[in-house]
Amino acid sequence: MASFKTNYLLVCFSFMVSTLSVKACVHTVEAAVPEELKAGYIISEVNLQHCLNNTHLELTTSDPDFAIQQDGLLYATHSTRIHSGERAFVIWLQDQQSQQKWKIDVALSVEHNMVKREVNLKRSKRRWRPLPFSIRENEFPPFPKEIQQVQSDSSQNYDIIYKIYGQGVNLPPIGLFSVVPETGMLKVHRAVDREQIAEYKFFAEARTKDGIKRDRDLDITVKVEDENDNRPEFTDVVVLSVPEHSEIGAIVGQVNATDRDEPGTLFTQMAYKIISSTDLFSIQSETGIMYTTSTALDRETKDTYELTVEATDCKGQHYGLSNTGTVRIVLTDINDNPPTFKANKYEAKVEENQKDVLILRIPVEDKDLFNTSNWKAKFVIKKGNENGNFRIETDPVTNEGLLYVVKPFDYEKNKIVKLEVAAENEAELVGTKSTWATVPVDVNVINVDEGPEFETPNLFLRIKENEPNGTLIGIYKALDPETKSSDGIKYYKISDPASWIQVEKNTGKLLVAGNMDRESSFVTNGMYNITVNAVDQSSKTGTGTVEIYLEDENDNNPIITNKDLVICEHYGQLGYVKVEAEDKDAEPLSSPFVFSFPKDHDKNWKITNEKATSMHLEQATELPTGTYNVPVIIGDQQGKGEQQIVTVRICKCISGQCVASQTSAALGVWGILALLLGIALLLMLLCILLTCFCGKKKEKVDLDNGAEAVLIKSNTEGPGEEVMAPNFKMSAQQTALEQESQFLQQSGGGLQDIRLSDFQNVNNVYGSQTLGSGMQNDPSSFLSATNSTFQTNYGQQFGSGIQHYADKNGTSIWRTNGLVIDQKLNGFVTEHNDRFAEDISHVYGFEGRGSFAGSVGCCSDLNDDSGLEFVNTLGPKFRTLAQVCTKK
């Protein structure tokens, strides 16, 4: 609360100070001055100390002849006169920060025999008074000339040395002004030109002899008083335009001359006059606006006028400067001249039966401006073209009228045609009493030997469809225009799309030659047209068209257009389909149709919602899914119709489409027998499998080198049989190739071509096979493979295209196996105990990543320090594997 009171008091105090400051500012200034004031005359010194914020004031006056400085010095900016003894204006003060404004009214009065009085106003401490002054341009020598003295208030107490700097001193134009250091007298050293620089701004400083600045620098503005030393100037050529035949007083345009002297002065105020002798145009002296003074301006007589205009400044006074310029006035065209024909009458000729031919060019003249809408002609046939035989247009290049015949003439009917042609313009006529001109044109038709002409160009016949062949439907005769006879004229068909009509060559009789079906694609809206050509003895021809209208007969039955339909099954609802039909015949031989069932129908369906060409076929009872053939009889209005079959499928639907479903039906006798036979086969297969797995286990025969003969597929996840290490000890001295070679040498007899690859193929093709106890083979398939190649994991190949036995006899197969086993056993007895097995590597099923232990197969040539000590930690289940893989 205390803070609020403090802020409130501060605001009130601030408002009081602001109010007092405003109230202390001057409201009015009254001064007595001479009647004539020269530029730089000091009127008064206004105290602005308490006016708003006097450090950020913007000062302006409502009268451009007076100005006020920041320190309140009010002076005349131009040489001026106080008319009527009094003059008033306003000084505006605006605070640039707060945007507050203040107005001071100034009233000047003329005091005769006035002696300049001192202004008893308060002066700023240590301020020297700047005295605005001016110099006249184009001053005559001698130079330098004294122009004004500046003096600092500090000169009352110190010996002051004055110095100036800025524009006209040490800045271009350099050396124009100087100052007497001791007195402050300013001098100008040469003549100045206001049109180059209108005012000069530089600064003066006041220092004591020891160089100490005793006052602020004074900004000095020297204005250059204008003299009338520049003549008015025109542009190169002033071009103005006005329409021809304009009314008196019509504005042509404005002439503007420029003057380089000071704007707004008497030296730039012009007076204009026309020097050339003319009674067609005038000019307003003060504004330079030109007017017409006559209506006799005719572009076709003279289209351009050039006048000399003089402009004089000082409002045309005798002491003013003047100059002349050229004004070109161009008359614009109006359509005051209609086109005129070069002849009083035109004639043309054309042969009969000719069309789309140019028969005449009609030239015209027009005095208006070339190639404008006032000049371009437009031709109109006023009379004689009632039948539309002619067309007339304008040649865009020559502006001539082009007369064409677009519809042929018959000499026997029109020997001469008289036309009246008018010539107009694209633009309407203005500024004249003339009218559009017309000219007569006679067109003579020339007789030529013509071909035959049919009695009518289009013969109309009306017959019934399906008329029998040979029926006479009409006669189409042609006559010679000269003799009016049909003797010697032959008739031929030009066009008969369906070949339905026969034209007799000598008589022109039209006979039916085909089945004329109204519903044919050659018939359009019941009409069928043919074209006939008549040829006389001089090979002249004439063409005619026969239009045949076919009357409809009831020769078409209504036909169902959608015979395969679908009903989506909905539980508890009876479905329906929409059956639509059409009849190619026209009414009343077609729709509306009558829909019905045959007498012996099954009552499962009913007809509802009958319309002119459709009906709803609806279930009368609930029906199972399936396909139904429903007989329907459809007849037209005359009762003509036949029985038709509508196929309806009832099914379960998804998104309005039928889906496949199993058909439920009762099992017949054969279905039951097939089911029992399948069950018997399954039981037999189960017995075979149990016999295989539960049979007596045979005694095994340990084979030292078994892996080389018949390998067991062991990439399984189940536990293998226990294998004793001594049975697989083999020497690593012989390679697999040497062992194979040795085996083949000892086989003898019929085993010379048997190789390990044969047994490998047997293992691969017939599954797991073992020798000795538990051995199983298929005698009918053993050794059936031919041309096999054995390849190890190391890229070695044994044999190529080896021929194998393909003995299908079971006895020979078992004999062969016995010989192989005996040979192997004899080989193992003679082997050294320290021989390692030279096994054959196989690629086993890969399960994602390799073993850190490397190979643990008996195919590896292991050492004592082979890094397999970790096997001892795997438990008792792995001891047998460790014994097999450890060198004894």
Side-chain angles (χ1 to χ4, degrees):
M1 188 67 182
S3 175
F4 171 77
K5 291 181 177 180
T6 302
N7 293 335
Y8 176 77
L9 291 174
L10 289 174
V11 170
C12 294
F13 178 74
S14 175
F15 177 78
M16 290 173 63
V17 170
S18 176
T19 305
L20 291 173
S21 174
V22 172
K23 287 185 177 181
C25 189
V26 180
H27 287 274
T28 58
V29 173
E30 296 179 356
V33 295
E35 185 177 359
E36 292 187 4
L37 299 177
K38 291 185 177 182
Y41 180 84
I42 300 174
I43 298 173
S44 178
E45 186 175 16
V46 183
N47 185 7
L48 304 177
Q49 185 175 0
H50 301 291
C51 294
L52 305 177
N53 185 358
N54 63 348
T55 59
H56 299 90
L57 287 180
E58 180 181 354
L59 307 176
T60 56
T61 62
S62 60
D63 193 331
D65 290 335
F66 302 96
I68 185 170
Q69 295 188 153
Q70 289 290 334
D71 59 357
L73 189 66
L74 181 64
Y75 62 96
T77 57
H78 305 93
S79 297
T80 184
R81 178 183 293 273
I82 308 299
H83 299 284
S84 303
E86 292 182 354
R87 192 164 180 174
F89 57 91
V90 176
I91 299 174
W92 287 101
L93 287 71
Q94 183 173 359
D95 189 343
Q96 295 181 358
Q97 291 183 344
S98 64
Q99 300 300 317
Q100 287 183 301
K101 286 187 177 181
W102 186 258
K103 183 180 75 170
I104 300 176
D105 295 318
V106 179
L108 303 181
S109 58
V110 176
E111 184 176 340
H112 299 285
N113 300 324
M114 172 187 172
V115 178
K116 186 175 180 180
R117 57 186 178 85
E118 295 184 359
V119 180
N120 188 18
L121 296 174
K122 184 176 181 180
R123 294 166 56 186
S124 315
K125 186 176 182 180
R126 288 285 176 260
R127 286 295 304 275
W128 51 335
R129 185 172 304 150
L131 301 174
F133 54 88
S134 61
I135 59 176
R136 297 184 66 85
E137 65 173 335
N138 304 321
E139 287 281 3
F140 296 102
F143 290 101
K145 291 187 176 183
E146 295 181 352
I147 53 176
Q148 189 67 35
Q149 184 179 14
V150 294
Q151 187 176 9
S152 172
D153 291 346
S154 60
S155 62
Q156 297 178 4
N157 302 320
Y158 302 96
D159 292 333
I160 297 300
I161 302 299
Y162 298 95
K163 181 181 178 182
I164 60 176
Y165 62 93
Q167 184 184 19
V169 184
N170 60 338
L171 297 178
I174 298 174
L176 180 60
F177 299 101
S178 66
V179 64
V180 178
E182 294 79 8
T183 62
M185 179 60 70
L186 297 175
K187 295 182 179 181
V188 61
H189 290 262
R190 56 182 180 270
V192 295
D193 186 358
R194 192 206 67 83
E195 285 68 44
Q196 292 183 356
I197 301 177
E199 64 179 18
Y200 298 86
K201 292 184 178 182
F202 53 91
F203 301 89
E205 63 178 15
R207 295 177 181 268
T208 58
K209 292 182 178 181
D210 54 3
I212 299 175
K213 187 181 290 189
R214 293 298 179 180
D215 212 332
R216 289 184 298 174
D217 291 354
L218 172 67
D219 53 324
I220 300 174
T221 300
V222 179
K223 294 192 175 184
V224 181
E225 294 183 5
D226 187 31
E227 285 191 348
N228 192 16
D229 57 343
N230 292 280
R231 294 180 180 275
E233 295 178 355
F234 289 92
T235 56
D236 294 338
V237 177
V238 180
V239 179
L240 305 175
S241 63
V242 64
E244 60 177 331
H245 299 298
S246 293
E247 298 290 336
I248 295 176
I251 296 177
V252 180
Q254 186 175 15
V255 178
N256 286 312
T258 59
D259 197 314
R260 296 180 61 201
D261 289 325
E262 186 174 1
T265 63
L266 187 64
F267 303 149
T268 56
Q269 297 180 10
M270 306 295 174
Y272 300 92
K273 67 179 180 179
I274 299 174
I275 298 178
S276 303
S277 176
T278 179
D279 57 352
L280 301 176
F281 303 98
S282 64
I283 190 170
Q284 190 176 20
S285 176
E286 294 81 6
T287 61
I289 297 176
M290 299 190 69
Y291 301 90
T292 59
T293 57
S294 173
T295 59
L297 297 172
D298 188 1
R299 191 203 66 84
E300 288 72 36
T301 303
K302 185 177 182 180
D303 61 353
T304 303
Y305 295 87
E306 287 194 356
L307 305 178
T308 301
V309 177
E310 181 184 66
T312 305
D313 59 16
C314 296
K315 295 184 178 181
Q317 297 294 330
H318 64 279
Y319 51 81
L321 301 179
S322 62
N323 202 353
T324 59
T326 301
V327 178
R328 181 178 299 153
I329 300 176
V330 179
L331 299 183
T332 58
D333 186 40
I334 63 173
N335 193 19
D336 58 335
N337 295 282
T340 58
F341 294 99
K342 293 184 178 181
N344 295 327
K345 184 179 181 180
Y346 293 94
E347 290 187 359
K349 58 183 178 180
V350 61
E351 292 183 355
E352 63 175 333
N353 301 320
Q354 280 191 332
K355 64 177 182 178
D356 297 325
V357 292
L358 175 65
I359 62 172
L360 182 64
R361 282 180 171 268
I362 305 175
V364 292
E365 291 181 344
D366 197 315
K367 295 180 180 179
D368 289 320
L369 187 61
F370 175 76
N371 209 26
T372 63
S373 60
N374 300 329
W375 174 84
K376 293 179 180 178
K378 183 176 66 174
F379 296 89
V380 180
I381 301 176
K382 295 291 187 180
K383 296 179 181 179
N385 194 31
E386 288 77 10
N387 295 327
N389 296 87
F390 299 96
R391 182 183 84 247
I392 192 167
E393 57 188 36
T394 304
D395 188 325
V397 178
T398 63
N399 210 33
E400 294 175 323
L402 306 178
L403 183 62
Y404 292 88
V405 172
V406 295
K407 188 176 179 181
F409 284 100
D410 186 353
Y411 175 79
E412 286 71 28
K413 296 179 180 179
N414 300 96
K415 295 180 175 59
I416 185 171
V417 180
K418 294 183 177 294
L419 302 177
E420 182 180 314
V421 177
E424 303 176 356
N425 287 125
E426 293 181 358
E428 295 294 331
L429 284 173
V430 292
T432 181
K433 296 180 179 180
S434 301
T435 58
W436 305 120
T438 61
V439 66
V441 178
D442 292 342
V443 180
N444 297 304
V445 181
I446 301 174
N447 187 26
V448 295
D449 186 11
E450 299 175 284
E453 294 181 353
F454 284 97
E455 295 174 347
T456 174
N458 297 286
L459 176 64
F460 180 81
L461 300 176
R462 188 183 186 98
I463 65 173
K464 291 184 178 182
E465 65 172 330
N466 304 321
E467 287 285 355
N469 292 349
T471 302
L472 177 66
I473 62 174
I475 300 176
Y476 198 22
K477 279 193 173 184
L479 302 175
D480 188 313
E482 311 296 334
T483 64
K484 304 299 181 182
S485 172
S486 61
D487 296 340
I489 297 177
K490 307 296 182 181
Y491 303 92
Y492 304 92
K493 283 192 305 181
I494 297 178
S495 172
D496 183 6
S499 300
W500 285 345
I501 304 298
Q502 176 186 350
V503 179
E504 285 194 355
K505 182 178 179 180
N506 297 320
T507 62
K509 291 182 178 180
L510 305 177
L511 305 175
V512 176
N515 182 25
M516 303 184 71
D517 186 5
R518 185 181 182 278
E519 289 73 39
S520 172
S521 59
F522 297 103
V523 178
T524 304
N525 296 326
M527 298 297 298
Y528 180 74
N529 298 335
I530 67 170
T531 306
V532 180
N533 200 13
V535 183
D536 62 11
Q537 294 178 354
S538 63
S539 299
K540 296 251 184 332
T541 62
T543 304
T545 302
V546 180
E547 299 175 351
I548 304 173
Y549 180 79
L550 297 176
E551 296 180 355
D552 191 22
E553 287 192 345
N554 196 4
D555 57 343
N556 292 281
N557 291 328
I559 301 298
I560 296 176
T561 59
N562 54 340
K563 292 187 177 182
D564 296 324
L565 302 171
V566 174
I567 294 178
C568 291
E569 186 179 40
H570 296 286
Y571 181 76
Q573 296 182 7
L574 299 178
Y576 69 90
V577 290
K578 184 178 181 180
V579 179
E580 296 179 337
E582 66 176 4
D583 193 330
K584 293 183 179 179
D585 293 326
E587 293 184 0
L589 306 178
S590 60
S591 61
F593 302 136
V594 177
F595 299 90
S596 62
F597 291 118
K599 295 181 179 179
D600 57 345
H601 75 286
D602 55 7
K603 307 297 183 179
N604 289 332
W605 302 88
K606 60 181 178 179
I607 295 173
T608 60
N609 197 24
E610 288 189 60
K611 294 186 178 179
T613 60
S614 66
M615 60 88 172
H616 286 178
L617 185 60
E618 186 177 341
Q619 293 177 241
T621 60
E622 255 189 64
L623 298 174
T625 57
T627 303
Y628 299 87
N629 294 324
V630 183
V632 177
I633 299 174
I634 305 178
D636 58 19
Q637 291 189 55
Q638 311 304 322
K640 181 177 175 57
E642 63 182 358
Q643 178 176 309
Q644 302 176 54
I645 300 299
V646 179
T647 301
V648 181
R649 182 183 177 189
I650 302 176
C651 62
K652 294 183 179 180
C653 299
I654 296 179
S655 300
Q657 299 294 328
C658 280
V659 295
S661 59
Q662 295 180 350
T663 303
S664 60
L667 288 175
V669 176
W670 292 105
I672 296 174
L673 290 177
L675 181 60
L676 294 176
L677 180 59
I679 295 173
L681 290 176
L682 289 176
L683 291 175
M684 185 183 302
L685 180 60
L686 181 60
C687 292
I688 293 173
L689 293 176
L690 291 176
T691 303
C692 292
F693 285 103
C694 299
K696 182 179 179 181
K697 187 174 182 181
K698 295 183 179 181
E699 185 179 355
K700 285 188 179 180
V701 179
D702 294 333
L703 298 177
D704 260 353
N705 199 15
E708 196 171 20
V710 179
L711 297 180
I712 301 172
K713 185 176 181 181
S714 59
N715 54 340
T716 63
E717 299 292 333
E721 296 183 4
E722 184 176 357
V723 182
M724 298 304 294
N727 294 336
F728 291 92
K729 285 188 177 180
M730 297 181 185
S731 173
Q733 302 301 320
Q734 291 180 313
T735 63
L737 183 59
E738 292 173 344
Q739 182 179 352
E740 181 185 10
S741 176
Q742 180 182 357
F743 171 74
L744 293 175
Q745 292 173 3
Q746 297 175 1
S747 297
L751 298 178
Q752 292 297 323
D753 293 331
I754 298 176
R755 299 196 179 189
L756 272 69
S757 56
D758 300 332
F759 297 97
Q760 177 66 28
N761 290 332
V762 173
N763 292 338
N764 292 338
V765 174
Y766 301 108
S768 176
Q769 299 181 4
T770 60
L771 296 177
S773 177
M775 181 176 64
Q776 298 176 5
N777 290 288
D778 184 358
S780 64
S781 303
F782 185 67
L783 295 179
S784 62
T786 60
N787 296 328
S788 176
T789 300
F790 176 79
Q791 182 174 357
T792 69
N793 288 344
Y794 304 100
Q796 298 172 328
Q797 292 186 353
F798 300 94
S800 176
I802 301 172
Q803 182 67 33
H804 296 273
Y805 285 99
D807 190 355
K808 303 299 181 178
N809 186 278
T811 305
S812 61
I813 292 173
W814 285 110
R815 186 182 300 112
T816 302
N817 290 343
L819 290 175
V820 173
I821 294 171
D822 291 342
Q823 181 66 30
K824 286 290 183 179
L825 290 176
N826 292 332
F828 293 154
V829 172
T830 60
E831 294 295 336
H832 297 285
N833 291 333
D834 57 349
R835 182 182 182 274
F836 289 95
E838 292 180 1
D839 208 345
I840 300 173
S841 301
H842 294 275
V843 178
Y844 296 101
F846 182 65
E847 299 201 5
R849 63 189 181 92
S851 172
F852 295 106
S855 175
V856 296
C858 54
C859 302
S860 303
D861 188 8
L862 303 177
N863 296 321
D864 292 337
D865 53 352
S866 55
L868 299 177
E869 292 80 1
F870 72 93
V871 179
N872 296 326
T873 64
L874 297 178
K877 292 184 179 181
F878 296 93
R879 291 190 181 277
T880 303
L881 178 61
Q883 291 172 1
V884 171
C885 298
T886 304
K887 181 178 179 182
K888 294 296 183 179

